[in-house]
Amino acid sequence: MENYVGQHWSIEIRFDEKKAHKNGFDANTLYDYVDKNIAKYGLKRISKFAWKANEEDKANSQYLALSMLSKQNWVMNNISSILTYEYTDKAIDYLDLIKEYFPERISE
């Protein structure tokens, strides 16, 4: 896997290990679930916590993956952070966007 440092058109996901354990999950298993679920959009895993968008359709692949993940209880009940990188290496806090536009998806 490549070295990950906020690459353009990528997603970084972190699960809260304590929440995951409390909810009956192993955090490593959740990362594998993410990988299996977003592979259909062409994202490739580049580190334990990060995925790179499909080179042929960067925006569409990344946005579809993020939308799908934010609708999954197993993600939202155990998430610590979701950062996205688009045209720059400046992170966008995707959880802040979810809180603003789709607060019903947030689990406390």
Side-chain angles (χ1 to χ4, degrees):
M1 290 184 196
E2 300 172 37
N3 184 24
Y4 179 74
V5 185
Q7 294 185 20
H8 296 232
W9 293 105
S10 64
I11 302 169
E12 180 182 319
I13 297 173
R14 303 283 178 147
F15 288 106
D16 181 314
E17 293 190 23
K18 289 180 184 175
K19 276 188 197 176
H21 182 70
K22 181 180 145 197
N23 292 323
F25 290 99
D26 172 71
N28 290 321
T29 302
L30 291 172
Y31 294 116
D32 291 341
Y33 287 170
V34 168
D35 192 43
K36 288 177 185 174
N37 278 272
I38 65 177
K40 63 184 166 192
Y41 301 112
L43 282 84
K44 294 179 75 175
R45 197 171 192 172
I46 56 175
S47 79
K48 178 179 179 178
F49 312 109
W51 290 263
K52 185 98 170 124
N54 178 341
E55 284 299 318
E56 283 103 47
D57 196 6
K58 294 174 188 163
N60 202 32
S61 69
Q62 185 155 310
Y63 298 148
L64 287 171
L66 288 167
S67 177
M68 182 275 300
L69 289 172
S70 72
K71 295 174 186 173
Q72 305 305 311
N73 288 333
W74 60 268
V75 172
M76 300 310 294
N77 290 341
N78 300 296
I79 201 72
S80 175
S81 70
I82 303 175
L83 300 177
T84 67
Y85 300 86
E86 295 179 358
Y87 298 99
T88 70
D89 58 357
K90 183 178 180 204
I92 298 166
D93 188 328
Y94 194 71
L95 278 182
D96 282 348
L97 294 174
I98 295 170
K99 288 174 187 173
E100 183 176 348
Y101 296 105
F102 306 103
E104 68 278 4
R105 295 182 188 174
I106 299 295
S107 230
E108 295 303 322

